[in-house]
Every structure is written in structure tokens, then in C-alpha cells.
Amino acid sequence: MTLNQAQQAHISKVFPECKDQMAKYLSLGVDVIVYRQFECGSDVPPFAVAPVDNHGFWIGCWDTQEQATKEAEKLGLKVVPI
């Protein structure tokens, strides 16, 4: 599994127990959705990126839908409509 620098940098920021699953999703370039999350408080950006088949696993959260989409694409993921 070869990951580019952006993917490796992203993995370095996640919780240790999530690193393997994150690496798998990034290496596969899975389809993801961007949606407004309400599970967390104001300390977490409102737009989550999650695999289509696992909305409970967040690739990351960003301040705007546009930023979340752009970051997902930089990570090699394909954003699909909900």
C-alpha cells in the first residue's frame, strides 16, 4: 500500500486506533460523502467526510462543504452526492 505525502500526513494526525482503517480507505480511494455533522460540539468543524459505506468513520471534518470536498479530493477520494 503506497500512500502519497498528503495521505501520510493525514494519517499521522488521526488517533492510533484509526490509523490502519484510515490507511485502507485512503489507499483504496473510496467514494465518500460530505455532510453536515451534528454529533460534536462547536470545537469540531461542521462538515464531515465519510466513506459511503461507513458514515460512522470520519475521514475528517472541515469548516465548509467546499473545503471538505477539496481536502477529500486531495486525499485521493471521490466525493459523491448523498
Side-chain angles (χ1 to χ4, degrees), residues 19-75:
K19 288 184 186 292
D20 288 342
Q21 190 171 11
M22 183 71 73
K24 178 181 171 192
Y25 283 131
L26 295 180
S27 69
L28 293 173
V30 298
D31 290 352
V32 295
I33 59 167
V34 175
Y35 67 99
R36 186 161 178 97
Q37 64 84 12
F38 296 98
E39 293 89 24
C40 297
S42 61
D43 60 324
V44 176
F47 290 93
V49 172
V52 168
D53 65 351
N54 186 359
H55 297 186
F57 187 89
W58 290 353
I59 302 294
C61 291
W62 288 272
D63 291 323
T64 66
Q65 185 170 0
E66 294 78 18
Q67 185 182 21
T69 298
K70 187 179 199 179
E71 293 300 322
E73 290 170 348
K74 284 190 340 190
L75 291 171

